[in-house]
Amino acid sequence: MSIRLAVSPFALAGAVLLGCARPAPRPIAYGEEACRHCHMTIADPRFAAELVTTTGKVYVFDDVGCLTAFVHRGPVPPSQVHGLWVYDYLQPDSLLDARQALYLRVDSLATPMASHLAALRAGAAADSLRARLGGTFVTWDRLPAGRHDG
């Protein structure tokens, strides 16, 4: 006995497109999801971050420091990292490529895991925030590996 399944050409095309979709960050369920590194509930979008693997798996973080600690600890090999994303402190609905973002380190800035780091898009708004809060600009390659074990 043979079974024939009827598959619409549109459904087949949709499945093919989904299979070809590039790995990408996704919305974080604030107040519900836990940070992959420290396991705290992610509550403040100004400090959130994501790591996306080449297979499309997304790891979410509550603090830039948790992302850097996770990356340096190495549970995801560099060859399997498709992208690193941080949320813009001044525009928390805007994602920035973590390697291209500018980070403002301000000791008085209360962040979820005390990294004291705010991710920003380089430019006048970042300069204005630094003038107001003080602190030092740091690039991705100069960020510390993270001070907590998670």
Side-chain angles (χ1 to χ4, degrees), residues 73-131:
R73 200 177 76 216
V76 176
S79 64
Q80 293 178 15
V81 174
H82 177 74
L84 301 169
W85 301 93
V86 290
Y87 286 81
D88 188 328
Y89 177 81
L90 295 172
Q91 297 177 343
D93 58 340
S94 177
L95 277 168
L96 305 172
D97 180 322
R99 295 176 181 127
Q100 303 302 315
L102 186 61
Y103 300 88
L104 180 61
R105 183 169 180 8
V106 181
D107 289 339
S108 63
L109 185 62
T111 62
M113 291 305 292
S115 70
H116 307 288
L117 293 166
L120 301 162
R121 184 178 318 281
D127 293 338
S128 177
L129 183 65
R130 181 179 177 208

Side-chain angles (χ1 to χ4, degrees), residues 8 12 23 25 29 77 93 132 144:
S8 136
L12 186 57
D93 58 340
R132 193 176 60 199

Side-chain angles (χ1 to χ4, degrees), residues 5-150:
L5 297 174
V7 178
S8 136
F10 296 110
L12 186 57
V16 169
L17 286 175
L18 283 176
C20 296
R22 291 180 51 98
R26 62 165 174 77
I28 295 173
Y30 294 102
E32 296 175 21
E33 285 190 85
C35 174
R36 178 62 181 200
H37 181 70
C38 73
H39 311 291
M40 299 283 290
T41 300
I42 304 170
D44 193 336
R46 297 175 303 162
F47 304 107
E50 300 185 31
L51 180 151
V52 181
T53 69
T54 55
T55 61
K57 183 169 183 169
V58 177
Y59 295 94
V60 294
F61 304 91
D62 68 341
D63 190 301
V64 171
C66 286
L67 172 64
T68 61
F70 187 85
V71 168
H72 284 92
R73 200 177 76 216
V76 176
S79 64
Q80 293 178 15
V81 174
H82 177 74
L84 301 169
W85 301 93
V86 290
Y87 286 81
D88 188 328
Y89 177 81
L90 295 172
Q91 297 177 343
D93 58 340
S94 177
L95 277 168
L96 305 172
D97 180 322
R99 295 176 181 127
Q100 303 302 315
L102 186 61
Y103 300 88
L104 180 61
R105 183 169 180 8
V106 181
D107 289 339
S108 63
L109 185 62
T111 62
M113 291 305 292
S115 70
H116 307 288
L117 293 166
L120 301 162
R121 184 178 318 281
D127 293 338
S128 177
L129 183 65
R130 181 179 177 208
R132 193 176 60 199
L133 299 179
T136 308
F137 284 132
V138 183
T139 57
W140 174 259
D141 59 333
R142 297 286 194 194
L143 287 178
R147 291 180 287 180
H148 57 283
D149 294 328

